[in-house]
Each structure stands twice: as structure tokens, then as C-alpha cells.
């Protein structure tokens, strides 16, 4: 059985403008020790889905199941969730300055977290553990640094301190929500290195949420592509980059400057990200899809395997047979004015 | 960038790329809303705001219609009814069919005088507040944006004004010039400028570093334009909030001045003056003379305060959807 | 889809010349008796921008690239140095004398939310240049604003809307429209696409390219995303702690970097290509960027440089061609990288006190795997913390 099985997760919020359907029927699972990358832009629902699973969304209407080590997190009691969060599921967020308490010393925060879950550990032992953790994530001079406040750490160090705190109790699953988006590229490399090595050492499964396809190419085993609150495609890493099926994935890859030769005109996806207030029926990507036809606008395609590979699924009405799919792609490309982006 | 796009007329290309908006088929389009409309909608549904606005509306109505009411009742505000308005010892009589609130120490209709008093309090309250806001905003903008010497001077000036007790200045000024309606407005208004000035200055300082101010400078805008075209609209919301909270303060200040005899002069009906006079009669059991003007003052200031709170909640950018 | 460079490297005349530009900010809050401290935001920067080209500037947080952009636009007064724009020395002229020049030098800012006044309508925002310089009023101004809106891909009917009613990409287009009102000669773009979604980034990049072609604009493109900078620029400069460490034509910089910092930067960028990431050797720089208030002596990169030698601690290297490169490719390094050199093969030859503190744990030098992502056994000797519940078998 998978470590975490999410089944048909739906999350909506009531706002002044109406009901925002942030997540619409999302299913995925992750095995122990695996790295699942979730990729998507604003409004894709990628952050909301994991936040809901860990019980961090207040006031949301939630349906579906999220079974973690035998417990459905969506129906668990607050006491159960308290016990799971931190000890069995660790979380790190984009901005460590706002997720670490600014008024308490870093070491103190780690100690408190440890002792919250492990009441038998003495304060002294917990403190030693905190220092060891900071050393492990590469904070220099951890014995002194453990007494510092968060603002005395640099951005990269804060993020690594967060990783230390998240990993303190050896959780089975680590959820990293855009952990490197706000960081410089060299610092990002450090943080990703730390996550990868910690994962190796402890056998932790990692859900990494990001919009950066480069990061995905680096660290993910499996990748989930989300758009407009739904899963568009799921596959392993190599398949996603070299043999993707879904037009949205294709569009994302093509709009990157690193792709295509240097200096060619980029091929962006035309249009804007979708509104979640009143989503149209059918595929959420249809308004921007160069391949869209009538059925796409009225009926949501199911997540079906591509080319007989059960590990690669795509929610698209285009043929799932690779040869037929390639044919369609050629036809559409020829029909577009060359060099444009399929406006 | 050095590509040679095959499609000529790049502008149309850009337009096409952007304009392919995913307007959902057959669904309503959400209307965009300005910050003001959002605030208005928040205010509309606030129960406290509705009640306080209604109260204020009633008070304003009574104040505006005061001459009509007086005419209809046949009792002028300064008219003394020696025969029916006093008891045998020349003391005020209590509320009855003729005098709804009873009479005051000079046998005048207390009800009529109370609603006439509203005219004074409201007009001075609002006008003095407008003066405070006008002066305060200009000083706040200048101090906040120009910084340096201008800021230092203005900030110290504000400190001095805040340090000296309001009443001391008010009484001194009133003793130099004759106290009158316009003098009260002047004193309350000018001395009250420091509150809005401080608030505006603080807001401007935090806005000064924002990129839209930098872009205005990059476009070549001078300080005057930036202050009044760029910064002022962002400060207006705050000014409205503090203005609505300043009105009750101005009303109380005015009442205080007339209570002490250096405000609006008798025989003009004024709540502060009436309360002052009523003090000597209250202990002898003539309670209505003290009660009604005090109640009027209380209700009016309370209503403005509650409305001011609601306005602040409605306009508070943190609570609203100005930034997505 | 040819790779045509309309501006030959030694062709087009010089539009902007920056010489030894210095910008220090005083650190606030120093008491009277303490010596004034300064943030060395930009320290002795020199470069040239030719008409019609796109000059990219990359660097990480604190390198001073934004300050450099704003200094060139004279939003700050500069501490020292010369800025010569289109033949005119604008280094020290007053803000008042600068005003008419603002029609020729424009800026596009990063934050599409912050760079637009939330309380003003979009039509009024775009119309600002006309109002400030008094070139058009009333209906004429409105017409020109709507023309601009259409040009950048916005619906001219949205003239009266507020910025909050637009998406991020659209707000950035508003900023572009405003900057273009006078078809300036030079547009300084300060991280114009960093805050946008990937698919929208591409739209805005294409828009900027189209406008450059149509109006013959010259861009200074400041960004931290190396892929974007490579795509848009003719020449690229790399900044570190207030100094330019390398300047080269875009392809040369990325194919044969000379400065080790450039090398480390390039190796740290994750490319969306699993084969590439499996094969490459990632150099993970240790430590953080030092504070610009007290920058290191000599070459500022020496505390973190894998090749650091004693000369790097004492002498600040000059920005000049190295290893036989032509005049278009300069680097400020005593020990530049030769082609094919692997930074991972080097160890610094300076004492530990000149270096950043080496971390232990998973970032320790001997914990580096052979190939990124496929880590072999961890060579470090860090003890595992006592485990609680968890996935460790």
C-alpha cells in the first residue's frame, strides 16, 4: 500500500465573490522514499491540495479521502492531526521568515517541536538533538547558531533550519511547498542538496511543489502536472520531459527560454490562467489549448494511461496512442503560422 | 533580442497572445471592482454602520428642520415663557405636554433648544474637522515625502502643538479675541491638525519607497505632482477614517469650550453651555435640564465613533481585496 | 527561425557608457561617535551599451544590479564615477535638469503589483508621461493611451479600471505601455518577468522583443534567471557584491565562462532536462554571500572560490580579457577557468581563516556525490539522531 493515497480530493472556499473551487477531484499517491514533484502555475491548486491534506485550510469545504499510513487525514480528529503533523509529516514552506516565529530563538523552536511530540525526551537531550540537526543541514557553528533568532540567519540558512525542524522527528513524508522559489540559484542548489541527502539518510518520501521545471528535472522521481484545480498529467521524470502527452505540459516546456535553440521566438501559451470562481465544464485548459475541439469544452477527459504505460496518465481527449498523438501534433504545428505560438 | 519573427506586425501577435482570454462559455463574467466599491459593499452590510448612520441621519434631520419644528410648536429657541414655563418660584418645570423636555433656567423650551444645539455641534464638528484634515494632510504629505529638514521642522512643530494642553491655548485665544462661532472652528480646527498630520506622514513614509513612487520619479514627476497625484489618493482612505473619528472629538471640544464659557456665546443654544448651566439646578432635582443635552451629546458622539470604526474596517486594506 | 544578431558586436554606436560607477548607501542608525558605515552597493562598475542591443545583467541577491539600474536612471545620486548617455554626461546633473531626459531613459520594474499605484486608474497611470511632460491633454491623451494599450496587448476599453482588476502579466504590460509612451532610447528592465507565471513570462518576453524591433529600443535587462537572460541578451554581465566579475557576449559567457563565480552559477542552474541534470557535475558553493557593508579584501569572491590563491586575498583583479579572449569578453579573475576545466577538481590554497566557515553534515565537502542526484555513499561521519517514528527502515 502506498504511503499516502489521495482519492478524489475536492476543496472549495466561500468568498465574497462566490465559491472558489480550488481543487477539483484530484487523485494521486506516493510510495515510501519516493519524490513526487507537483508542478503548476497560479491557481492550479497545487498548494491548496497539500495544505488541506495536513489540515491547514480553515473554512474550506473538503471531500474525498487522503489515507496516510492507514488513517484518513481528512476525517481525522484534531488530536490525531496534531500527532501526525510534525512527527510523521513534516512541512516546509516558501518563506521561512514567516513560518519561523520571529521572536523565539531557532534552537528553542526546534526543541519545543521535538518535546511536543516526544514527551519523554529531556530538554537537554532535545537541545543536543537540535544542534545535531543544524549541523546535519550544514549550518556552520551550530552550537552558537542554535541560540540565534531567525532574522540573524540568511535566507538559505533559514530554509535549512526549517528542514532541520521538519526532519527532527524522522517523518515518513516531507511536504516542501515552493521551498526554493524565493532563493538565489546557488542557495537553491544548497537547499535542494540538503533535502536530497536528508531524504537518502532517512528514507523520507518527499512531495515537492514548484513551478520551476528545472528543479523537477533535478530531483523528482514522479511528476504531477496540475492546472485549474485538476491533474492534467502524471508520469515519471524522463517521460514528462521527453515524451509528454498533455498539451499543457507541452506548452509549458515550449515556453521556457532554455528550450528550443537560443534566440528563437518563444512559444508561450496564449491567454491567462483560469478563474476558479466559475470554472467552465470540460477541460480547464481548453480555452488556451491549440488542439482543442468541441468535446474538450463540454466534457472533462478522464485520466487515462498513455500508450499502455500505467505509470503515465494524461487527462486529454487526444489519442493516447503515441503514434496517433504525434500525428496530431504535426498537423496542428503545420496549420499554425511558423514561429508563432498558436495564438 | 535578435530574432526575426516570421509574423510581421509584432503588436498584433502580442495582442493575440494576451487577448485569448479564457472567457468561459456561457458563464457570467465577473465584473472587476474598484477599491471604493469593495469598501462600500463591506460598509453596506455592517450592522453597526447602518444603525449609527441612521442615528446620525435622524440628528441631522432634526437639526435641519429645527426652525420648522420650532415654528410648528410655536416655541422659539430663545423665547421665554415666563407664565407657563416656570413654577411659582421661577424654577424650570419638567417634561409635560407643552414642553417635551421641560424648560431651562430661563423658561425656554428645552426640546427646541436641544435640537438647535445640534445645529451648532454638527456644523462646528464637521467644519473644524475639515480644517484639521486639510491642514494636516498637506503638512503630513510634505513632512513624509520631502523628509529631511522639512520633516524635522514639521514633526517638531507637531510635537509642540501636541504638548501644549488644548484648553490652555483655547482659553488664551478666546480671551484675546471675542469668542464666536468662527473662532471656535478656527481654534478646534487648527489645533486638531496634528492627528491627521501624523497619520498621513506615517503612511507617506511607508509609501515613499514603493515602486510606483519610484516609477513616477523615473517618469520625471516632480515632488508636488507625486505628493498630490500619486500619494494623496492612497492617503485619502486613511484620512476619511481619521476624519470620521475626528468629528466626535471636535464636537466634544466645542462643547467643552462653551461649557467653560469661551465658546459659542449665549443666548445661542448650545449643549455645552446648557450642561454648564444645568449643573447648578441638577442637585435641586431639576434633572431634565442636565439629562437631555447630555444625552444628546452622548448619542451624537457615540454614533460618529461607531461609524468611524466601521468606515475604518471597510477601508482597511489588510482586510480587503485590493492586492490579490 | 534564424539566429540573427541585428547588432554586430563592434557595430552600432555607443548609447551608454558607464565608467567607474560607485554608489554607497550610508547605514542608518549609526550613532554620532561611531564611524559611518556604508553599504557598498555598486563598487567601481564600468561597461558600455550599444544602440539597439540588449545588455543583460545577472547576479544574486545583494549583488547591486537593481541599484546599478536605478543609478543609471539617476533615481539615485551617484557617489562617484561617470555616466555618459548619448554623448551627454549625466553623472551629476540636478533632478530638474534630468527631467527632460527622462523621456529618453525609462524603467520597467519587477513587481507588477507594487509598481502601479493601486488607487489610480490604469488610463491615468499610462497617461502619466503625457501629463508630466505636458505633451498631450484631454481626448488626445486618451487616444494615445489607448493606442499604447492596444500596442502592448491590452483591451483599450479597460481604460478606467484599477490595477487590481488585472492579472500579473497584464499589469506588467501596463508598466511596459507607460514606459513606452515616448519611445525612449534606453529602457532599463529591472526583473520584468521574475514575478510572473512561466507561461506569461514567455508572452512578456516576446512582447519586449517585438517592441524592440519596432521602435529600435535598447534594453538593459536585469534578472537573476540565467535562462531568460541568455535568451534575450546580446551581451551579459555578471555581478557579485557590487562588482562586475565578467562581461561577455551571451553565448560565450554560457559556453566558456572564465570567472569561477560564473562557472558556479551556471552549474547551479537546474535545467529542465533530466539527461543534463543526471550528467552534470554540480558545484555547490559553500556559505552565503558576505555582507556588502564590509566586503572581503582583494577579489570579493575569494572566501567561497574553489580556486582561491593568496594573490586573490590581496589584489583586486581588473576586468580585462583573459586567456586570449577578444576585447568583448572580460573577466576579473587571477585564475580564470580554461575551457573544459572542472571546478570540482580544485581546492583553495588559502588558509581557513580567509574562507567561509565550512559546514559539516550533508553539505560537507567530502559528502559531495560523484554525480548530482545519484549520490553514492555518504562520506561524512555525521551521526544519525536517535530516530522517532519514521520511514527509515
Amino acid at each position: 500500500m502506498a504511503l499516502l493515497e489521495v482519492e478524489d480530493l475536492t476543496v472549495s472556499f466561500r468568498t465574497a465573490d462566490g465559491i472558489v473551487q480550488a481543487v477539483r477531484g484530484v487523485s494521486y499517491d506516493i510510495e515510501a522514499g519516493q519524490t513526487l514533484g507537483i508542478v503548476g502555475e497560479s491557481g492550479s491548486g497545487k498548494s491548496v491540495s497539500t495544505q488541506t491534506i495536513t489540515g491547514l485550510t480553515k473554512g474550506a469545504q473538503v471531500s474525498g479521502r487522503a489515507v496516510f499510513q492507514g488513517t484518513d487525514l481528512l476525517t481525522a480528529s484534531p488530536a490525531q492531526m496534531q500527532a501526525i503533523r510534525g512527527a510523521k509529516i513534516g512541512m516546509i514552506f516558501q518563506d521561512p521568515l514567516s513560518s519561523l516565529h520571529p521572536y523565539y530563538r531557532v534552537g528553542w523552536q526546534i526543541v519545543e517541536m521535538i518535546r511536543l511530540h516526544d514527551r519523554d525526551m529531556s530538554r537537554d537531550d532535545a537541545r543536543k538533538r537540535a544542534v545535531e540537526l543544524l549541523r546535519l543541514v550544514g549550518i556552520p557553528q551550530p552550537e552558537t547558531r542554535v541560540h540565534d533568532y531567525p532574522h540573524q540567519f540568511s535566507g538559505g540558512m533559514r530554509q535549512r533550519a526549517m528542514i532541520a525542524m521538519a526532519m527532527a522527528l524522522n517523518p515518513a513524508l516531507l511536504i516542501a511547498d515552493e521551498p526554493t522559489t524565493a532563493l538565489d540559484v546557488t542557495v537553491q542548489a544548497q537547499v535542494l542538496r540538503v533535502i536530497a541527502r536528508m531524504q537518502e539518510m532517512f528514507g523520507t518520501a518527499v512531495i515537492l511543489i514548484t513551478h520551476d521545471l528545472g528543479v523537477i528535472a533535478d530531483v523528482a522521481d514522479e511528476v504531477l502536472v496540475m492546472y485549474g484545480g485538476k491533474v492534467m498529467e502524471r508520469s515519471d521524470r524522463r517521460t514528462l520531459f521527453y515524451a509528454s502527452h498533455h498539451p499543457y505540459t507541452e506548452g509549458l516546456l515550449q515556453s521556457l527560454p532554455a528550450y528550443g535553440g537560443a534566440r528563437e521566438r518563444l512559444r508561450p501559451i496564449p491567454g491567462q490562467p483560469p478563474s476558479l470562481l466559475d470554472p467552465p465544464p470540460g477541460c480547464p485548459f481548453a480555452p488556451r489549448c491549440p488542439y482543442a475541439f468541441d468535446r474538450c469544452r463540454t466534457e472533462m477527459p478522464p485520466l487515462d494511461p498513455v500508450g499502455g504505460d500505467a505509470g503515465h496518465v494524461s487527462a486529454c481527449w487526444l489519442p493516447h496512442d503515441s503514434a496517433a498523438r504525434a500525428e496530431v501534433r504535426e498537423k496542428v504545428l503545420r496549420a499554425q503560422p511558423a514561429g508563432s505560438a498558436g495564438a | 533580442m535578435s530574432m526575426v519573427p516570421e509574423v510581421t506586425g509584432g503588436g498584433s501577435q502580442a495582442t493575440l497572445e494576451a487577448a485569448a482570454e479564457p472567457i468561459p462559455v456561457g458563464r457570467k463574467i465577473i465584473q472587476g471592482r474598484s477599491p471604493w466599491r469593495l469598501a462600500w459593499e463591506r460598509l453596506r452590510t455592517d450592522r453597526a454602520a447602518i444603525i449609527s448612520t441612521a442615528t446620525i441621519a435622524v440628528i441631522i434631520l432634526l437639526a435641519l428642520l429645527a426652525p420648522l419644528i420650532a415654528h410648528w410648536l410655536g416655541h422659539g429657541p430663545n423665547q421665554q415663557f415666563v407664565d407657563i414655563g416656570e413654577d411659582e418660584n421661577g424654577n424650570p418645570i419638567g417634561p409635560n405636554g407643552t414642553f417635551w423636555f421641560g424648560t431651562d433656567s430661563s423658561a425656554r423650551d428645552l426640546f427646541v433648544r436641544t435640537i438647535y444645539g445640534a445645529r451648532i455641534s454638527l456644523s462646528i464638528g464637521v467644519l473644524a474637522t475639515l480644517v484639521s484634515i486639510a491642514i494636516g494632510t498637506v503638512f503630513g504629505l510634505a513632512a513624509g515625502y520631502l523628509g529631511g529638514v522639512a520633516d524635522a521642522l514639521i514633526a517638531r512643530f507637531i510635537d509642540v502643538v501636541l504638548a501644549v494642553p488644548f484648553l490652555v491655548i483655547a482659553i488664551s485665544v478666546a480671551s484675546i479675541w471675542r469668542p464666536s462661532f468662527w473662532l471656535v472652528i478656527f481654534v478646534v480646527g487648527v489645533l486638531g491638525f496634528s492627528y491627521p498630520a501624523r497619520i498621513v506622514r506615517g503612511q507617506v513614509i511607508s509609501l515613499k519607497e514603493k515602486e510606483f513612487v519610484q516609477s513616477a520619479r523615473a517618469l520625471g514627476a516632480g515632488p508636488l505632482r507625486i505628493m498630490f497625484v500619486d500619494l494623496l489618493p492612497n492617503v485619502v482612505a486613511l484620512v476619511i477614517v481619521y476624519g470620521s473619528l475626528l468629528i466626535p472629538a471636535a464636537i466634544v471640544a466645542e462643547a467643552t469650550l462653551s461649557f467653560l464659557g469661551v465658546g459659542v456665546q449665549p443666548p445661542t443654544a448650545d449643549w455645552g453651555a446648557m450642561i454648564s448651566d444645568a449643573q447648578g439646578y441638577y442637585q435641586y432635582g431639576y434633572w431634565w435640564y442636565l439629562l437631555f443635552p447630555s444625552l444628546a451629546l452622548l448619542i451624537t458622539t457615540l454614533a460618529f465613533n461607531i461609524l468611524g470604526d466601521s468606515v475604518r474596517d471597510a477601508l482597511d486594506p489588510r482586510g480587503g481585496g485590493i492586492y490579490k | 527561425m534564424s539566429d540573427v544578431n541585428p547588432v554586430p558586436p563592434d557595430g552600432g554606436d555607443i548609447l551608454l557608457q558607464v565608467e567607474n560607477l560607485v554608489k554607497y548607501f550610508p547605514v542608518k542608525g549609526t550613532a554620532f561617535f561611531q564611524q559611518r558605515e556604508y553599504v557598498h552597493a555598486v563598487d567601481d562598475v564600468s561597461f558600455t551599451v550599444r544602440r539597439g542591443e540588449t545588455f543583460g545583467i545577472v547576479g544574486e541577491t545583494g549583488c547591486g544590479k537593481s541599484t546599478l539600474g536605478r543609478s543609471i536612471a539617476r533615481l539615485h545620486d551617484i557617489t562617484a564615477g561617470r555616466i555618459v548617455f548619448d554623448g551627454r554626461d549625466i553623472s551629476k546633473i540636478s533632478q530638474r535638469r534630468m527631467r527632460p531626459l527622462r523621456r529618453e531613459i525609462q524603467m520597467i520594474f519587477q513587481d507588477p503589483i507594487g509598481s502601479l499605484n493601486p488607487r489610480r486608474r490604469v488610463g491615468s497611470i499610462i497617461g502619466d508621461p503625457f501629463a508630466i511632460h505636458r505633451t498631450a491633454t484631454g481626448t488626445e491623451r486618451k487616444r494615445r493611451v489607448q493606442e499604447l494599450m492596444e500596442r502592448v496587448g491590452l483591451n483599450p476599453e479597460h481604460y478606467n479600471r484599477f490595477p487590481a482588476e488585472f492579472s500579473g502579466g497584464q499589469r506588467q504590460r501596463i508598466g511596459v505601455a507607460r514606459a513606452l509612451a515616448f519611445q525612449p532610447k534606453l529602457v532599463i528592465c529591472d526583473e520584468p518577468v521574475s514575478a510572473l507565471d512561466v507561461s506569461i513570462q514567455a508572452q512578456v518576453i516576446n512582447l519586449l522583443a517585438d517592441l524592440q524591433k519596432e521602435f529600435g529600443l535598447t534594453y538593459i535587462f536585469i534578472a537573476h534567471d540565467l535562462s531568460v537572460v541568455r535568451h534575450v541578451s546580446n551581451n551579459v554581465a555578471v555581478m557579485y557584491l557590487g562588482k562586475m566579475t565578467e562581461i561577455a557576449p551571451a553565448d560565450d559567457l554560457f559556453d566558456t565562462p572564465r570567472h569561477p563565480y560564473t562557472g558556479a552559477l551556471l552549474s547551479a542552474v537546474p535545467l529542465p532536462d533530466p539527461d543534463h541534470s543526471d550528467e552534470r557535475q554540480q558545484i555547490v558553493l559553500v556559505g552565503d554571500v558576505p555582507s556588502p557593508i564590509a566586503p572581503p579584501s582583494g577579489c570579493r569572491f575569494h572566501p567561497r572560490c574553489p580556486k582561491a590563491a593568496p594573490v586573490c586575498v590581496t589584489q583586486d583583479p581588473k576586468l580585462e580579457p583573459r586567456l586570449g579572449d577578444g576585447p568583448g569578453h572580460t573577466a576579473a579573475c587571477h585564475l580564470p577557468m580554461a575551457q573544459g576545466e572542472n571546478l570540482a577538481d580544485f581546492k583553495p590554497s588559502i588558509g581557513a581563516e580567509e574562507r567561509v566557515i565550512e559546514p559539516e553534515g550533508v553539505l560537507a565537502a567530502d559528502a559531495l556525490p560523484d554525480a548530482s542526484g545519484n549520490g553514492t555513499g555518504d562520506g561524512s561521519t555525521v551521526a544519525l539522531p536517535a530516530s522517532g517514528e519514521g520511514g527509515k527502515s
Side-chain angles (χ1 to χ4, degrees), chain A residues 28-258:
Chain A
Y28 58 85
D29 48 56
I30 178 171
E31 308 282 342
Q34 202 185 39
T35 304
L36 174 71
I38 303 184
V39 121
E41 300 179 296
S42 331
S44 57
K46 58 192 194 300
S47 290
V48 176
S49 61
T50 51
Q51 283 170 4
T52 307
I53 292 170
T54 48
L56 292 175
T57 42
K58 285 215 165 72
Q61 321 265 61
V62 181
S63 75
R65 282 157 51 92
V67 180
F68 174 76
Q69 287 182 341
T71 319
D72 183 1
L73 299 175
L74 300 178
T75 53
S77 71
Q80 281 175 304
M81 288 307 293
Q82 255 313 51
I84 291 178
R85 273 202 297 266
K88 304 208 184 146
I89 299 183
M91 291 197 73
I92 57 179
F93 300 97
Q94 175 173 346
D95 182 8
L97 197 52
S98 50
S99 24
L100 284 172
H101 200 299
Y103 297 152
Y104 294 106
R105 299 174 199 273
V106 173
W108 189 91
Q109 296 186 45
I110 302 181
V111 165
E112 283 307 296
M113 223 252 340
I114 294 176
R115 296 192 71 231
L116 190 71
H117 290 277
D118 190 348
R119 302 206 181 266
D120 301 322
M121 192 177 289
S122 74
R123 203 163 263 273
D124 244 2
D125 283 343
R127 210 170 280 140
K128 287 203 197 91
R129 175 83 171 269
V131 171
E132 271 312 303
L133 282 163
L134 287 181
R135 188 192 313 275
L136 196 60
V137 297
I139 308 262
Q141 295 174 324
E143 314 81 13
T144 13
R145 287 304 223 165
V146 79
H147 297 297
D148 280 346
Y149 289 93
H151 67 265
Q152 295 173 279
F153 278 28
S154 72
M157 285 170 71
R158 275 197 289 269
Q159 198 59 292
R160 284 181 276 147
M162 277 249 60
I163 296 171
M165 198 151 89
M167 299 292 293
L169 293 158
N170 231 326
L173 172 65
L174 176 71
I175 300 179
D177 192 346
E178 306 252 28
T180 58
T181 304
L183 302 175
D184 285 321
V185 74
T186 50
V187 181
Q188 171 175 285
Q190 288 178 347
V191 171
L192 290 176
R193 169 69 58 87
V194 169
I195 294 179
R197 300 312 303 276
M198 298 290 274
Q199 184 181 18
E200 265 176 46
M201 290 176 73
F202 295 93
T204 320
V206 173
I207 295 181
L208 183 73
I209 302 166
T210 179
H211 63 267
D212 187 337
L213 283 163
V215 171
I216 294 284
D218 228 8
V219 302
D221 297 318
E222 299 267 320
V223 187
L224 203 74
V225 178
M226 286 184 69
Y227 185 84
K230 289 183 176 286
V231 175
M232 295 286 105
E233 188 164 13
R234 177 190 172 135
S235 73
D236 64 81
R237 184 177 62 137
R238 295 188 61 87
T239 312
L240 192 89
F241 286 93
Y242 299 130
S244 66
H245 176 272
H246 201 282
Y248 176 56
T249 313
E250 190 180 285
L252 271 184
L253 290 170
Q254 285 186 343
S255 58
L256 297 177

Side-chain angles (χ1 to χ4, degrees), chain B residues 145 213-221 226, chain C residues 74-76 95 102:
Chain B
Y145 185 71
V213 175
Q214 297 299 317
S215 13
R217 290 184 58 213
L219 288 171
I226 292 180
Chain C
R74 287 300 315 281
L75 286 176
H76 301 304
Q95 290 295 327
R102 297 224 181 271

